[in-house]
Amino acid sequence: MRHAFTMEYWPDAGGYVGRLREVPGVFSQGETLAELEDNIRDAYDLVLSDAAPAPSPAGAESRPIEVEV
């Protein structure tokens, strides 16, 4: 599934730094805008893989709860 996000970027030290505005923690840099886009995609993939739920320990139980955000 593809999602559309907003890449915000700015010049920095002869290249670019950028982030995905809608996804906190996804930042990267590149010498060109094309390289920055590739690196932002890689950073997004890393954030998603880190956010994957960890396996449950043996004997763990679960139940739904409500949390206000």
Side-chain angles (χ1 to χ4, degrees), residues 7 15-16 28-42:
M7 184 178 78
Y16 296 93
S28 196
Q29 62 187 30
E31 291 184 13
T32 65
L33 284 176
E35 182 179 21
L36 173 59
E37 285 185 27
D38 288 341
N39 293 343
I40 286 282
R41 285 184 183 98
D42 290 343

Side-chain angles (χ1 to χ4, degrees), residues 4-40:
F5 297 111
T6 307
M7 184 178 78
E8 183 175 62
Y9 60 93
W10 52 96
D12 184 65
Y16 296 93
V17 173
R19 68 183 184 123
L20 290 183
R21 289 179 55 192
E22 298 86 353
V23 187
V26 176
F27 285 84
S28 196
Q29 62 187 30
E31 291 184 13
T32 65
L33 284 176
E35 182 179 21
L36 173 59
E37 285 185 27
D38 288 341
N39 293 343
I40 286 282

